[in-house]
Amino acid sequence: MPFIAPRFYSYALTPQEEALCARIGYERQAPMFAQPERNRNYYEGEVWEMWQHAVCAGAELAFARMLGLNDFVPHVNKFKTEKDVDCYEVRYTFGNGMLRLSDWDSKDDIYVLLADGMRHKVRRTKEQGWKGTPYRAVCWADGHHIAQHGERVGKGWRLPVAKAFPMEELG
């Protein structure tokens, strides 16, 4: 599949899109409810996990809109059988500014890092369409670059934004 380059690098979700992502966050976490032994991040609790999944679904939806994919709906769980959005894997940073690659991820894929968005609690107004903080596409790299130039951490790698590629070079 040919790559689609983003037309712009930020997007604020509509209230309807945020609601969709909240539902998807719930559905992504639901199979793990009350099973701390199965959930490697359970120390953060169910509410945090649902919120994290919703924020990440928002990143996927925002990136799809940046690509001009207006009918895209984030998946509940593809179990790595398909890319997150078109031909891209979407990663979200909760503040560490790192593009991550896990041992089970494909090094042939292109990973795009997004920030901001639903993570931030902001007052909204009718005049601005009830929209919150926009998601920003920060950088990108393929898995080989992440593994070669990133730091090995646990079962994967972390690549600082400064060692990744600017969004303008994607596509």
Side-chain angles (χ1 to χ4, degrees):
M1 174 178 288
F3 290 108
I4 301 172
R7 296 179 298 162
F8 44 89
Y9 304 107
S10 71
Y11 182 83
L13 299 177
T14 67
Q16 294 78 12
E17 290 168 335
E18 282 191 358
L20 172 65
C21 293
R23 180 182 57 80
I24 289 170
Y26 172 87
E27 290 176 2
R28 287 181 180 180
Q29 182 61 22
M32 302 301 264
F33 283 160
Q35 300 178 66
E37 67 284 349
R38 286 188 58 213
N39 189 343
R40 66 180 173 208
N41 292 324
Y42 194 81
Y43 59 89
E44 297 169 327
E46 302 287 8
V47 172
W48 160 258
E49 289 294 311
M50 287 187 307
W51 174 76
Q52 180 179 346
H53 285 303
V55 169
C56 292
E60 294 166 13
L61 183 57
F63 188 65
R65 297 301 187 260
M66 291 176 206
L67 295 174
L69 303 173
N70 295 322
D71 59 350
F72 175 84
V73 174
H75 64 85
V76 171
N77 202 334
K78 296 177 186 174
F79 298 105
K80 303 272 182 206
T81 60
E82 298 176 39
K83 306 291 181 277
D84 290 331
V85 178
D86 194 50
C87 55
Y88 300 103
E89 289 293 328
V90 175
R91 297 292 192 251
Y92 183 83
T93 179
F94 282 91
N96 68 2
M98 299 281 191
L99 188 52
R100 68 177 170 77
L101 177 75
S102 300
D103 286 343
W104 51 86
D105 291 324
S106 172
K107 290 182 182 169
D108 294 327
D109 289 342
I110 293 178
Y111 298 85
V112 178
L113 184 66
L114 272 76
D116 297 330
M118 293 192 315
R119 173 178 164 234
H120 299 285
K121 181 180 176 182
V122 297
R123 294 259 181 215
R124 295 145 191 252
T125 65
K126 183 177 182 178
E127 293 74 34
Q128 47 97 276
W130 302 110
K131 291 182 179 181
T133 303
Y135 280 88
R136 287 181 305 114
V138 178
C139 65
W140 69 276
D142 65 42
H144 295 285
H145 184 85
I146 297 170
Q148 182 179 7
H149 299 283
E151 176 185 354
R152 181 78 170 160
V153 179
K155 295 182 179 181
W157 295 266
R158 302 287 183 269
L159 181 73
V161 170
K163 292 184 177 182
F165 302 106
M167 290 305 298
E168 294 78 18
E169 293 181 12
L170 184 61

